[in-house]
Amino acid sequence: MGTAAWAGQVAGTVINLSGPLMVKKADGAVKVLAVRSEVESGDTLMSQKNTYAQIRFIDNSEMTLRPDTTFVIEAFAYDGAKPEADSASFSLVQGGLRSLTGLLGKRNKEKFSLKTPAATIGIRGTTFIAQYVAPGVPPRSGSTPGGLPAQPPGLYLSVFDGAIIVSNKGGSSNFSAGQFGFTPSLTVAPVSIPVSPVIRFSPPPSFSVSQAPGANSASKGATQGVDCEVR
């Protein structure tokens, strides 16, 4: 009911694509999106094989989806004059993404949540990558470069700027810039790991990480124009 209530409100725009991106609307209709297509609350976005897709939301936050990703915009609302109405609720069903915080996350970080099958992610003003590997699903194109072995199922995280909090039934953990995290399931607390060995995130060079309003110049230098392979 919550998704239905928010459905139809424009949340953002597709700004970069490297292949097909599908959307399933709240009413069940399925469409193909293009650059400059609008996305709405209630949309389920599905990037196809070899497709990276970059979405800019109306608060200037960004989500970049990697290939074979299913991502739900459960509810998104932003009005510069009405901070009390802020809402940013997303769900990563499968695959991976890079998230860049915008104005909503800077003034109302507690209103942001990214749900995954293994944990829920909250932000502290952040750029991070999340990748969920489902049990029993073989690695797909771009997942295991260089002949590396298939990764164990679970949620993998890498933080580039700021911090995130990751929570599930097993507990909660904080991860700061430069740290990696992992949890295999909803019942096991997230833990810090030295590196995430086989998660790959390599969008085309044109998918540079934009600078969110209010971010400092050091953060911009650390992230803009960088393609990331977490190994």
Side-chain angles (χ1 to χ4, degrees), residues 7-227:
Q9 297 189 20
V10 174
T13 305
V14 179
I15 61 171
N16 273 307
L17 278 177
S18 66
L21 175 66
M22 312 295 291
V23 60
K24 183 176 182 180
K25 310 299 288 186
D27 63 4
V30 177
K31 301 178 180 180
V32 179
L33 297 180
V35 173
R36 293 190 291 276
S37 291
E38 292 182 337
V39 296
E40 302 174 339
S41 293
D43 283 356
T44 298
L45 305 180
M46 299 164 286
S47 61
Q48 306 301 296
K49 182 179 180 180
N50 299 323
T51 297
Y52 282 88
Q54 192 172 27
I55 315 300
R56 179 172 293 149
F57 290 87
I58 55 176
D59 72 327
N60 282 324
S61 61
E62 291 180 7
M63 291 283 185
T64 302
L65 311 184
R66 73 178 304 279
D68 299 308
T69 292
T70 300
F71 173 74
V72 184
I73 306 171
E74 294 186 342
F76 191 92
Y78 176 81
D79 183 331
K82 299 178 180 179
E84 70 280 0
D86 285 354
S87 177
S89 178
F90 307 105
S91 179
L92 176 63
V93 179
Q94 69 175 30
L97 57 79
R98 177 178 64 197
S99 174
L100 172 68
T101 298
L103 294 171
L104 184 153
K106 294 182 182 300
R107 73 181 186 183
N108 267 328
K109 56 183 179 289
E110 70 281 357
K111 296 292 185 71
F112 175 101
S113 69
L114 173 62
K115 302 171 187 173
T116 79
T120 297
I121 302 169
I123 60 170
R124 299 293 180 265
T126 308
T127 302
F128 70 92
I129 287 176
Q131 167 94 24
Y132 178 69
V133 178
V137 175
R140 300 191 179 188
S141 175
S143 297
T144 56
L148 294 171
Q151 60 271 47
L155 176 64
Y156 294 81
L157 301 156
S158 177
V159 182
F160 292 89
D161 181 52
I164 60 175
I165 180 168
V166 185
S167 304
N168 62 16
K169 295 178 181 178
S172 297
S173 298
N174 293 298
F175 301 95
S176 300
Q179 291 187 314
F180 302 94
F182 173 72
T183 179
S185 71
L186 274 174
T187 59
V188 180
V191 296
S192 180
I193 56 177
V195 292
S196 183
V198 289
I199 301 301
R200 183 178 176 87
F201 193 94
S202 300
S206 59
F207 284 56
S208 60
V209 179
S210 302
Q211 181 71 357
N216 60 43
S217 58
S219 173
K220 179 176 182 180
T223 60
Q224 191 164 23
V226 177
D227 295 334

